């Protein structure tokens, strides 16, 4: 597997740092906490950790409002502490990816403070300032993804500024070469520190229409959906000029050898694949989020796998994401039994998998009492926006301790359920054991890492496909239904099953049984 890059062979694990491990009793996870859990991650069998933002921030959007791009927030630790964490990770063979948030800064970033100080400040044009419309209202109809107008009136200078998210997150002006230069320095700062790559926040939103044209109404909008769905995002997302920016970020990373550029992009597959660039000079991996909203039906997933594989240019490396900090957890989306099937799917598909912390123990969405809601998106759009706190609850390390071994203090969000790493550790039938088995199987079978994916089919509730490399062929069958099923196969040996007692059994040529919610990997 040596001709592949590490990020093609490897598996990425996302850490939401506020919720992974607290080391100082303030109820918020931190870098020493992450460091203390790196051995766990190495033993789990992942290859890289992506840490959501840890930069100094007023935390209006929990770190996605950056006040200093080249430092660490004291809540999480120090820059030296981060370098130690990275050294520790590297000694264990783990890569470290940071979250790069270039679309917007915090309104407390010195750049914005300068920009808003006067109309003729040299940094005025670093952000998107516009005069009011003739009636004194916002310059156009653009809407914030956190609800309401995306324009905030500034009394001092008598103009509006644009914020795609919170008013505390003003959008930078990526048409300004100085902004590009400053952000390039940020990338270089962290690359010089030794980070192995970046997940780039809202990469598809960086450039807005130069003429600030109104977005057209969305004919598909239904009342109750988030506010910004009322409009098509024709002039606020996926603008053609964005690809030039992606290309220049990639060129910077390429100067540093084998580093990885991953883009957060919520677009249809045909639009998404353009972010690979021309002949692969764009992002290494535009995140493929299709599984996050997929209807959990064998034929739909089969179609999605086939269509994605066909849409990828030949230089593009695929990837799959099953969960993240912005979407309900997989175990809550599909149920605990099917979450095991989903684990087999994620780790046997072609392409780099990204796991979300806690999914390896089947964590479900937490229940958040109204007085403990933190997510600004939910607080600004109560009843409309599905809050993101439920999928951000603390990692459950030890069920027998108060607060699940996450903190000695009061956790910033409540603990979701009672299961824990400790409880599942020695249990061969646990979700954790299933993930460990899958990750080690992936590591030791070239077909799973670099094999083609063929014969993707759905028969009723059963999804099947093959992964082939050289003369190795693995047959994967997933029963996505609640009834027992049969599946046609060649003869072979069961290497892995979500029903663990079955491992080592023979599959016969012809019909083989699958239990409800059983997934198998068979060497045929
Ligand atoms: C995407 C991030 O994943 C999300 O958590 C955040 O609120 C927005 N970008 C704004 O940065």
């Amino acid at each position: 597997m040596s001709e592949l890059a590490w990020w093609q062979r490897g598996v990425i694990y996302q850490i939401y740092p506020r919720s992974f491990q607290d080391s100082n009793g303030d109820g918020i996870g931190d870098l020493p906490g992450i460091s203390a859990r790196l051995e766990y991650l190495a033993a789990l069998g992942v290859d890289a950790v992506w840490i959501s933002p840890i930069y100094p921030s007023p935390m209006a959007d929990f770190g996605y409002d950056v006040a200093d791009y080249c430092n660490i927030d004291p809540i999480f630790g120090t820059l030296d502490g981060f370098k130690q964490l990275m050294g520790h990770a590297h000694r264990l063979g783990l890569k470290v990816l940071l979250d790069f948030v270039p679309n917007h800064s915090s309104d407390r970033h010195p750049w914005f403070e300068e920009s808003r100080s006067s109309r003729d400040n040299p940094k005025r044009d670093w952000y998107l300032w516009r005069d009011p419309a003739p009636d004194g209202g916002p310059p156009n109809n653009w809407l914030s993804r956190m609800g309401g107008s995306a324009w905030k009136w500034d009394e001092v200078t008598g103009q509006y500024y644009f914020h795609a998210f919170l008013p505390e997150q003003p959008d930078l002006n990526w048409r300004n070469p100085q902004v590009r230069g400053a952000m390039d320095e940020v990338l270089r700062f962290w690359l010089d520190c030794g980070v192995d790559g970046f997940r780039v926040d809202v990469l598809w939103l960086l450039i807005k229409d130069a003429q600030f044209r109104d977005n057209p109404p969305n004919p598909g909008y239904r009342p109750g959906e988030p506010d910004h769905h009322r409009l098509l995002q024709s002039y606020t997302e996926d603008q053609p000029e964005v690809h030039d920016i992606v290309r220049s970020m990639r060129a910077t990373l390429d100067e540093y050898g084998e580093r990885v550029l991953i883009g957060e992009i919520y677009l249809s597959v045909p639009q998404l694949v353009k972010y690979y660039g021309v002949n692969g000079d764009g992002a290494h991996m535009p995140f493929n989020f299709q599984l996050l909203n997929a209807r959990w039906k064998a034929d739909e997933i089969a179609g999605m796998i086939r269509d994605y594989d066909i849409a990828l240019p030949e230089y593009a490396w695929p990837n799959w994401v099953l969960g993240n900090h912005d979407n309900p957890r997989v175990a809550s989306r599909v149920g605990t039994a099917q979450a095991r099937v989903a684990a087999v799917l994620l780790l046997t598909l072609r392409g780099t998998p990204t796991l979300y912390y806690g999914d390896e123990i089947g964590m479900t969405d937490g229940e958040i009492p109204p007085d403990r809601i933190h997510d600004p998106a939910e607080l600004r759009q109560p009843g409309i926006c599905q809050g993101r706190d439920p999928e951000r609850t603390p990692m459950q390390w030890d069920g027998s301790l108060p607060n699940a071994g996450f903190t000695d203090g009061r956790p910033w969000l409540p603990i979701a359920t009672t299961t824990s790493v400790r409880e599942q550790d020695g249990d061969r039938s646990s979700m954790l054991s299933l993930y460990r088995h899958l990750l080690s199987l992936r590591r030791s079978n070239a077909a799973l890492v670099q094999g083609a994916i063929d014969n993707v089919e759905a028969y009723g509730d059963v999804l099947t496909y093959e992964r082939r490399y050289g003369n190795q062929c693995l047959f994967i069958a997933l029963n996505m239904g609640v009834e027992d099923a049969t599946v046609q196969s060649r003869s072979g040996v069961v290497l892995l099953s979500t029903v663990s007692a079955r491992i080592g059994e023979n599959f016969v040529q012809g019909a083989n049984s699958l239990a409800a919610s059983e997934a198998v990997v068979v060497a045929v």
Side-chain angles (χ1 to χ4, degrees):
M1 297 190 214
S2 54
E3 71 273 26
L4 293 181
W6 65 263
W7 51 269
Q8 296 173 307
R9 293 190 303 270
V11 175
I12 299 170
Y13 183 98
Q14 180 190 358
I15 292 179
Y16 195 67
R18 292 179 75 81
S19 299
F20 199 58
Q21 176 69 67
D22 178 22
S23 74
N24 61 3
D26 66 0
I28 297 174
D30 48 39
L31 297 186
I34 295 175
S35 232
R37 296 298 186 180
L38 288 176
E39 273 78 7
Y40 162 81
L41 294 174
L44 177 63
V46 298
D47 301 271
V49 291
W50 146 37
I51 311 176
S52 287
I54 47 179
Y55 316 108
S57 164
M59 302 288 166
D61 190 18
F62 299 107
Y64 285 97
D65 46 324
V66 178
D68 177 354
Y69 284 98
C70 298
N71 213 331
I72 302 294
D73 194 284
I75 251 183
F76 296 124
T78 61
L79 190 53
D80 277 345
F82 173 71
K83 289 179 183 167
Q84 281 163 24
L85 182 159
M86 201 162 47
H88 183 184
H90 286 164
R91 284 192 297 281
L92 291 170
L94 293 169
K95 307 284 186 186
V96 177
L97 312 182
L98 284 183
D99 209 312
F100 180 46
V101 191
N103 178 68
H104 44 268
S105 71
S106 161
D107 62 345
R108 313 264 192 87
H109 195 294
W111 296 343
F112 188 70
E113 287 180 342
E114 277 192 52
S115 182
R116 80 183 323 175
S117 65
S118 76
R119 285 200 187 200
D120 53 15
N121 183 277
K123 292 216 168 46
R124 184 67 171 180
D125 183 53
W126 282 40
Y127 292 84
L128 298 166
W129 292 98
R130 304 293 285 173
D131 286 333
D135 67 356
N140 67 18
N141 72 350
W142 293 356
L143 294 174
S144 157
R145 287 164 188 267
M146 300 279 197
S149 169
W151 295 98
K152 167 95 176 157
W153 173 248
D154 180 58
E155 200 61 59
V156 179
T157 55
Q159 280 191 314
Y160 284 89
Y161 67 84
F162 176 75
H163 57 92
F165 293 90
L166 297 173
E168 293 88 348
Q169 295 168 295
D171 279 45
L172 282 147
N173 176 12
W174 272 84
R175 295 182 186 274
N176 182 320
Q178 290 175 349
V179 168
R180 290 179 172 220
M183 283 300 188
D184 190 59
E185 279 173 32
V186 172
L187 289 176
R188 290 174 191 278
F189 174 84
W190 293 110
L191 291 165
D192 287 335
C193 284
V195 308
D196 301 289
F198 302 92
R199 171 267 191 191
V200 186
D201 193 59
V202 296
L203 186 57
W204 85 115
L205 302 186
L206 290 191
I207 286 268
K208 290 80 182 166
D209 179 44
Q211 298 170 54
F212 292 87
R213 281 170 283 186
D214 274 353
N215 275 327
N218 174 10
Y221 170 77
R222 264 169 286 147
E225 286 184 33
D227 216 22
H228 70 281
H229 287 188
R230 287 196 281 122
L231 302 177
L232 298 174
Q233 301 297 315
S234 314
Y235 296 117
T236 39
E237 65 176 36
D238 195 32
Q239 301 298 294
E241 301 95 318
V242 75
H243 295 289
D244 188 37
I245 296 172
V246 182
R247 205 163 25 248
S248 74
M249 287 180 185
R250 169 62 181 274
T252 298
L253 263 73
D254 281 350
E255 286 179 37
Y256 287 80
E258 218 173 70
R259 311 293 171 105
V260 68
L261 187 69
I262 303 172
E264 185 207 20
I265 301 159
Y266 286 89
L267 287 174
S268 69
V269 167
Q271 292 166 292
L272 181 72
V273 297
K274 297 202 178 119
Y275 286 74
Y276 282 104
V278 177
N279 291 322
D281 61 0
H284 293 101
M285 293 191 285
F287 261 150
N288 167 13
F289 291 134
Q290 294 181 88
L291 289 174
L292 294 177
N293 298 313
R295 289 211 312 139
W296 206 244
K297 295 268 170 240
D299 54 348
E300 293 216 10
I301 306 272
M304 173 187 295
I305 298 169
R306 285 191 299 254
D307 292 349
Y308 181 58
D309 212 47
I310 291 167
L312 287 171
E314 59 52 48
Y315 48 78
W317 184 258
N319 76 91
W320 294 91
V321 178
L322 200 54
N324 65 25
H325 63 294
D326 293 329
N327 289 280
R329 282 191 179 270
V330 60
S332 292
R333 299 198 311 267
V334 303
T336 45
Q338 283 295 320
R340 294 169 69 87
V341 175
V344 178
L345 176 69
L346 177 72
L347 289 160
T348 58
L349 284 173
R350 188 171 90 85
T352 301
T354 299
L355 305 183
Y356 185 49
Y357 86 92
D359 282 352
E360 78 274 24
I361 54 169
M363 276 175 62
T364 49
D365 287 345
E367 294 240 356
I368 314 293
D371 62 338
R372 294 191 72 180
I373 295 174
H374 282 70
D375 180 13
E378 184 175 6
L379 291 171
R380 282 168 58 97
Q381 306 173 87
I384 293 184
C385 170
Q386 191 179 7
R388 300 171 296 177
D389 295 324
E391 60 263 21
R392 298 176 177 181
T393 61
M395 179 67 180
Q396 297 159 196
W397 296 103
D398 183 342
S400 68
L401 293 171
N403 298 326
F406 164 69
T407 181
D408 294 335
R410 183 175 192 254
W412 77 288
L413 285 174
I415 308 298
T417 53
T418 52
T419 190
S420 68
V421 170
R422 173 160 309 172
E423 180 192 276
Q424 297 192 13
D425 197 16
D427 174 359
R428 284 186 51 215
S429 65
S430 70
M431 183 69 137
L432 183 58
S433 297
L434 175 66
Y435 263 100
R436 285 180 178 147
H437 191 181
L438 278 164
L439 286 158
S440 91
L441 200 67
R442 202 179 157 90
R443 206 175 274 271
S444 51
N445 283 279
L448 289 178
V449 176
Q450 57 188 342
I453 187 161
D454 288 322
N455 299 327
V456 183
E457 302 292 349
Y459 304 95
D461 284 332
V462 179
L463 168 67
T464 62
Y465 48 92
E466 287 174 355
R467 299 294 313 277
R468 293 168 184 280
Y469 186 70
N471 48 22
Q472 187 188 28
C473 179
L474 300 179
F475 173 70
I476 291 110
L478 313 166
N479 184 354
M480 303 178 78
V482 292
E483 310 276 327
D484 294 355
T486 53
V487 62
Q488 297 294 323
S489 164
R490 289 194 271 142
S491 62
V493 180
V494 177
L495 299 182
L496 177 142
S497 164
T498 51
V499 180
S500 52
R502 194 159 189 192
I503 296 165
E505 249 182 43
N506 286 325
F507 251 39
V508 296
Q509 170 86 32
N512 293 274
S513 67
L514 283 180
S517 299
E518 182 178 8
V520 290
V521 180
V522 185
V524 293

